[in-house]
Amino acid sequence: MKEVDLLIIGAGPAGCSAAIYAVRAGVKPVIAGGAVPGGQLLTTPDIENYAGFVNPVGGFELMDNMHKQCKRLGVEFTPEEIAKVEGEKSPFTLTTTDGKQYLAKSVVVATGAKARWLGLPGEEKFIGRGLSACATCDGFFMRGKTVCVVGGGNTAFEDALFLSQFCPEVNLIHRRDAFRADQVTVEKVKANPKIKLVLNSVPVELLGGETLEGVKVKNVQTGEISQISCSGVFVAIGAEPQTAFLKDSLVALADNGLVLADERTHTTIEGIFAAGDCADKHYRQAIIAAGNGAKAGIEAAAFVNLHR
């Protein structure tokens, strides 16, 4: 069993930021990032809303720079995946998928969340080429173009309103004619002349060559197939926090799998902290994950230094 000061689970913006702040506070962190460290940003071709970059930066480049920065500061990376976290107080026992164990004085959970996609054939080739799960991130690239939003909750309706600021036509596709979104938000969408409600309908095929050019939609009541020409489809049907490994631990999770953490990133177990999309109910933005990771790194380092 390897003993460490701080084990950070996840090598995305939150995990890397936590490590940077922890190591500068005199704590030696280990990042368990899995076989492909970096999270969802690795598949994001252009990021234009991360402060400090004059020109858009590729997600892979951004994460590569974060990893290099961590390594320069002496942060240790391991490709192992954590399968279990045990203990109600420090030190905590963490077991990897291949049975290796760590004994950590503190833990930062920064495993992120995985977007729910539509599950359509060939979907993968359009991700980042017109298909997105983040209107806030990618909506700007659709300025002046027709787009679609898929979903019926607050996120879908808020995305539609956001996109309508710079898109001439926004098609909101929902499988029912009733919504989970707040009524006030629903009324705003209905009153917006740029937004068209495509109800009782589901996407069945994405169209295009190198980039997305349209979507086929099926009416679930009549079976009729129609086609919408568009340059972008924004999927807003939720995200899955990558927290299944915590279900048998004492760390409390919300019903949707998010880690319950306060504004200082403290979880329900003293010495275990959470940051980034695995604990974020609202934003799911890289820069916010990095900021929360900084909080977690500061808090975890303070905890470790207090209990040496």
Side-chain angles (χ1 to χ4, degrees):
M1 182 180 291
K2 183 175 180 178
E3 297 185 12
V4 299
D5 281 346
L6 170 61
L7 190 72
I8 299 171
I9 311 172
C16 288
S17 188
I20 290 166
Y21 275 81
V23 75
R24 287 172 58 83
V27 170
K28 293 183 178 180
V30 173
I31 294 180
V36 186
Q40 293 186 83
L41 285 189
L42 294 180
T43 60
T44 305
D46 291 307
I47 300 169
E48 200 165 37
N49 55 358
Y50 199 98
F53 292 88
V54 176
N55 298 311
V57 59
F60 182 89
E61 179 187 354
L62 180 61
M63 288 317 311
D64 186 51
N65 285 340
M66 286 189 188
H67 293 163
K68 288 176 179 176
Q69 182 181 8
C70 286
K71 290 173 182 177
R72 179 180 64 80
L73 292 170
V75 177
E76 179 184 345
F77 282 79
T78 174
E80 295 162 326
E81 295 184 11
I82 302 301
K84 185 185 294 186
V85 178
E86 298 174 284
E88 56 184 305
K89 62 180 182 179
S90 177
F92 306 98
T93 301
L94 296 95
T95 306
T96 68
T97 52
D98 60 2
K100 182 177 178 180
Q101 289 191 317
Y102 287 86
L103 192 67
K105 293 175 183 175
S106 184
V107 175
V108 171
V109 180
T111 45
K114 185 177 181 180
R116 291 193 184 100
W117 296 102
L118 300 171
L120 300 179
E123 185 175 59
E124 295 82 3
K125 80 170 187 176
F126 290 117
I127 295 175
R129 294 177 172 84
L131 182 65
S132 172
C134 182
T136 306
C137 311
D138 301 325
F140 180 81
F141 299 109
M142 294 292 130
R143 184 176 295 274
K145 299 177 180 179
T146 296
V147 297
C148 295
V149 176
V150 182
N154 279 323
T155 299
F157 276 73
E158 289 165 3
D159 284 355
L161 289 167
F162 172 74
L163 292 165
S164 71
Q165 297 175 74
F166 39 81
C167 294
E169 181 180 326
V170 180
N171 296 276
L172 181 56
I173 304 168
H174 183 45
R175 59 184 174 177
R176 297 192 296 268
D177 57 4
F179 314 107
R180 299 186 309 276
D182 297 333
Q183 189 60 34
V184 172
T185 309
V186 171
E187 293 305 322
K188 287 181 181 178
V189 165
K190 288 182 176 179
N192 190 314
K194 292 184 178 180
I195 301 175
K196 177 183 177 182
L197 295 177
V198 184
L199 304 180
N200 298 311
S201 298
V202 294
V204 292
E205 185 179 353
L206 299 173
L207 307 172
E210 291 297 316
T211 59
L212 187 71
E213 297 174 8
V215 57
K216 282 187 178 180
V217 175
K218 178 181 179 180
N219 186 296
V220 296
Q221 293 182 337
T222 65
E224 179 184 357
I225 302 290
S226 59
Q227 182 173 320
I228 301 173
S229 296
C230 62
S231 300
V233 172
F234 293 88
V235 182
I237 56 176
E240 297 177 6
Q242 302 300 286
T243 57
F245 68 99
L246 292 172
K247 287 184 178 177
D248 293 327
S249 74
L250 295 174
V251 177
L253 304 177
D255 290 342
N256 59 3
L258 288 171
V259 182
L260 294 177
D262 64 18
E263 62 179 10
R264 293 176 60 185
T265 74
H266 293 231
T267 70
T268 52
I269 300 296
E270 187 180 9
I272 298 182
F273 307 87
D277 288 5
C278 67
D280 188 341
K281 294 183 288 186
H282 301 293
Y283 299 104
R284 296 201 298 275
Q285 297 294 302
I287 197 164
I288 293 174
N292 283 329
K295 288 185 185 181
I298 292 169
E299 295 293 324
F303 179 86
V304 170
N305 287 327
L306 183 64
H307 292 84
R308 286 192 188 277

